[in-house]
């Protein structure tokens, strides 16, 4: 296995575990290997109607082979995410999956950032981990979701939620999730009027977070999704 392929495979493993942990906040979402592919899906549910769509992760596997594995094991609702190296052409992959009846939903970048010897950017806003019910309630109001429960605010929580503050106003947010010796950066968002000012640089929060947890690097969101 080449170094480049090994790096991509390691990044994918971080992604599937980090993404699954993040999605498990409402119901257990599990990551497992099925042959050369990764599968992310709900744990067994009492009511099949509650079952969320599953996602298959493909890297360096021909479209026909991947499709055969997926069709054999997949549930009624699934997506296929194909990982392609940054310098690799994507047109052959698109063509191969289109011929099998898939349609491209979107393409996203997947970044890997080493945490060694990275200088901290200038301080523009304050960064705070959400540790109190009051801050959790404020964040919940901003994103229009239920506040984080108390058991997700402590040091033993499955992820750490951070917010960027201008005064007391939340202008950005990101989650940091432990995943196979690295940190998965999830749901990063900066208010439009505060963008291009360095607030969204994940190293502002994840470098300190990962270093204190003895992590080596952080993986940033990526997904290429095709679905029939």
């Amino acid at each position: 296995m080449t170094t480049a392929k090994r790096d991509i495979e390691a990044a994918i493993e971080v992604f599937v575990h980090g993404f699954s942990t993040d999605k498990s906040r409402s119901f257990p979402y599990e990551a497992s290997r099925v042959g050369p592919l990764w599968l992310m899906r709900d744990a067994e549910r009492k009511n099949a109607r509650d079952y969320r769509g599953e996602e298959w992760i493909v890297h360096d596997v021909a479209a026909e082979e991947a499709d055969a594995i997926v069709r054999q094991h997949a549930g009624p609702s699934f997506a296929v995410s194909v990982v392609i190296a940054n310098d690799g052409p994507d047109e052959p992959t698109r063509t191969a999956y289109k011929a099998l009846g898939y349609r491209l939903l979107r393409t996203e970048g997947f970044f890997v950032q080493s945490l060694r010897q990275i200088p901290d950017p200038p301080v523009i806003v304050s960064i705070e981990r959400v540790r109190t019910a009051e801050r959790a309630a404020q964040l919940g109001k901003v994103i229009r979701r239920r506040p984080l429960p108390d058991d997700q605010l402590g040091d033993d929580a499955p992820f750490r939620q951070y917010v960027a503050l201008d005064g007391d106003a939340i202008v950005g947010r990101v989650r940091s999730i432990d995943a196979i010796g690295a940190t998965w950066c999830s749901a990063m968002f900066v208010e439009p009027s505060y963008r291009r000012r360095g607030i969204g640089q994940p190293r502002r929060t994840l470098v300190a977070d990962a270093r204190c947890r003895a992590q080596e690097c952080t993986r940033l969101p990526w997904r290429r999704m095709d679905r029939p």
Side-chain angles (χ1 to χ4, degrees):
M1 182 183 295
T2 65
T3 300
K5 182 176 179 180
R6 188 181 301 111
D7 288 345
I8 292 176
E9 292 287 349
I12 292 172
E13 187 171 8
V14 171
F15 161 64
V16 297
H17 287 285
F19 183 83
S20 297
T21 298
D22 195 12
K23 202 162 182 176
S24 293
R25 289 181 299 143
S26 56
F27 187 83
Y29 202 72
E30 302 173 340
S32 61
R33 279 289 247 189
V34 180
L37 312 184
W38 280 100
L39 166 62
M40 300 185 295
R41 61 163 41 145
D42 275 344
E44 185 175 351
R45 306 197 73 146
K46 293 182 179 179
N47 190 339
R49 291 179 296 180
D50 294 332
Y51 185 82
R52 294 172 292 183
E54 60 192 43
E55 186 166 348
W56 292 78
I57 312 300
V58 180
H59 174 241
D60 200 29
V61 178
E64 294 80 4
E65 180 184 354
D67 180 63
I69 296 172
V70 171
R71 300 288 181 181
Q72 182 179 357
H73 299 279
S77 177
F78 66 88
V80 175
S81 296
V82 184
V83 181
I84 301 175
N86 187 53
D87 56 354
D90 65 352
E91 189 58 37
T93 299
R94 293 190 184 207
T95 300
Y97 277 92
K98 185 176 180 179
L100 294 169
Y102 290 79
R103 61 186 177 89
L104 179 66
L105 294 183
R106 64 181 179 268
T107 300
E108 300 179 39
F110 188 176
F111 307 94
V112 178
Q113 174 66 67
S114 172
L115 298 181
R116 297 179 180 178
Q117 299 180 342
I118 299 178
D120 292 330
V123 176
I124 300 172
V125 297
S126 61
I127 305 297
E128 175 185 300
R129 181 179 170 188
V130 178
R131 289 184 176 273
T132 66
E134 291 75 17
R135 188 67 79 191
Q138 181 187 9
L139 176 62
K141 185 175 181 180
V142 169
I143 64 178
R144 299 180 180 180
R145 293 186 178 180
R146 291 182 180 179
L148 295 173
D150 291 345
D151 62 359
Q152 293 187 6
L153 302 179
D155 290 334
D156 57 348
F159 64 87
R160 278 82 57 203
Q161 176 73 56
Y162 288 87
V163 291
L165 300 170
D166 185 357
D168 195 52
I170 295 177
V171 299
R173 56 189 184 269
V174 67
R175 283 192 291 273
S176 177
I177 302 171
D178 292 341
I180 316 300
T183 300
W184 171 249
C185 170
S186 170
M188 182 166 56
F189 178 83
V190 177
E191 293 294 338
S193 60
Y194 283 83
R195 292 174 186 172
R196 298 188 179 278
R197 296 166 61 182
I199 296 173
Q201 295 184 30
R203 61 191 179 193
R204 286 193 56 78
T205 57
L206 299 191
V207 167
D209 181 65
R211 279 177 176 165
C212 76
R213 303 179 75 84
Q215 307 286 27
E216 291 293 326
C217 59
T218 185
R219 317 288 186 187
L220 311 181
W222 183 103
R223 279 187 294 166
R224 174 188 301 279
M225 301 182 68
D226 299 274
R227 188 164 73 187

